[in-house]
Amino acid sequence: DGIRDDLVTGVQTCALPISTEQMNIVIVGHVDHGKSTLIGRLLADTNSLPNGKLEQIKATCEANSKPFEYAFLLDALKDEQSQGITIDIARVFFNTKKRNYIILDAPGHIEFLKNMVTGAARAEAAILMIDAHEGVKENSRRHGYLLSMLGIRQVVVAINKMDLVEYNKTIFDRVKKEYSVFLETIGVQPIAFVPVSAFHGEGVTKFSESMPWFDGDTVLTHIDSFKKEESNHHKPYRMPVQDIYKFTETNDTRRIIAGTIETGTIAIGDEVIFYPSKKISKVATIESFNTEKKEVASSGEAIGLTLETQIYTKPGELMAKVGEPLPHISYELHVNLFWLGKKPMLLDKRYKIKCGAAGIPVYLKKIHRILDASDLSTHEKKQQIERHDVAECVLQTTKPLSFDLSADIATTGRFVIVDDYEISGGGIISKTVSESKSRIEDYIQRREFAWEKGAIKPKARSEKLKQNPKLIIITGPVGVGKQALAKSMEEQLFKQGKHVYYLGLSNMLLSLGSDRFHTIHDRDAHIRQLGEVSHLFTDAGLIVITTISDLDDQEATILKLLSHPNELIVISMGEKALTEFPVDFELKESLSLDRQVGRVLNVLKEKSILLDDYSI
Ligand code: GTP
Ligand code: MG
């Protein structure tokens, strides 16, 4: 379909910056419609090329009796590239009197789409190129749609290769009309349509006599009149938490919360809230890399913060400011999704969603509409999302996701979908779902429905075993003695004739290791497994004891749902990661093991888990 995966170029010119204002512009369009040629022309005609470069390449072409191409300029500059920037779409730098530009050349290949969708490549404005001779093609439409989805509103359409149609006004008008109709349906209003011959330099920086019928501006004039986007400083504060660093001093319990501010500003003393845990604290200090300590920081800055109180937050959370509009939290999202994966996106298959710094399991729950982005035809009945489809659909997570609606805050309203470690799609969050339900809740409903029950009623089992089955979770930081307590409890209860089992699902698997990507992924899977196993055991009447480091609200909720109807008891030791989920008993670390066990067994008795008299 004309998508080329092989074109990877990186370009940098030596021109010195004249002005400090900078703007990113992307050039999109169908294969061979002249994107690289236009860029080459812009470089040549704005004197942004190193001296003699153009002549040198023309001479080389002549010597090899090869026709000269402006695109060769880009390749040649790439070879000269000094700063070793490797990025997967060509970046070309050039300046006008007004400002400095970075032009992203998008040869229509998949990396580009990926970068646009993920936000790795950001552009404030776009030039859409259409070959006058060939007319509107799939990518002209796809890219137009993508720009609209990504919220790039400043678009100029260059109708190129006018020389091939004898600079004919009728043909220009026809292509313009056809494309305008399309753009209108997707809500894109181009600033202008410009007839161009990139190769011959018509309409790029000047018009000669070729098109007297056209009285509009050149492409360059339009580029210079693109407006800078409004700054993100004035939006609500959002910082995805990338990392938490601990101080190395033994008695220093402070932590540095690191990330890049997406929008808004933050100052020392501001009250902040973390989503989805909803932990609240105040900013104590703002540390910034390689600079002095600061009082205030704002969007675009990578910072580290310390807080006045020690709260448990972790990478993946979204930080906001109390008193400002807060992020949404939901298990279900209405999204517009652009699929790039080789394999189609399937209903009920487990993927991973990345939004802000969060990465959690996600499922495609419902497809409302699938749009073929090239002709905008819709398919209401399609049950999977094919490569290059745009879908309006509902995604469902197993844990609550914090985000913004893309219309409110673009960066935290955007996500990507990872399938098997590869970014396979992405899009924007358009709406929340009222009364959203977790993936797990839906699953439990199905499980309960399908569960074939035996003849023995739970009550009879409880009376016989003299206990009410329960999953008992001991949680707390690593190294507070959770396992010792769990094993000792198992022993004590066993001695008293209880039917008890210590489920020693390795703590290694359930603690955050250094390779976060893997461990978070695995941790979710193990929590899920633990929930299923303890559901079986408690259904059989057992008391199950297990330990989990730093159990958080979302995980506790999942385990509670999975253990239904027997649910769970949570005992915490030391610092708690839980905020809203109720803890049944908080143990002091300073107690001896025997006394800890005694306290916990008392709690179990009070909660009618142990049904007869006992003594220790
Ligand atoms: P991809 O990067 O492969 O997607 O193509 P592209 O859009 O960058 O097109 P490119 O600039 O490489 O141009 C493709 C062909 O069209 C080249 O042979 C160019 O010389 C030719 N071309 C570009 N602009 C013009 C033009 O205005 N007139 C004519 N006659 N040919 C042009
Ligand atoms: Mg090209």
Side-chain angles (χ1 to χ4, degrees), residues 4 31-37 69 160-161 163 197-199:
R4 282 159 55 172
V31 161
D32 276 354
H33 281 195
K35 300 175 291 291
S36 303
T37 307
E69 289 282 355
N160 189 31
K161 305 197 191 178
D163 56 300
S197 169
F199 193 82

Side-chain angles (χ1 to χ4, degrees), residues 1-2 30 136-144 182 373-375:
D1 62 354
H30 201 69
V136 179
K137 288 284 190 185
E138 308 93 83
N139 279 353
S140 326
R141 296 204 180 89
R142 263 188 205 129
H143 290 175
F182 169 80
S374 63
D375 61 7

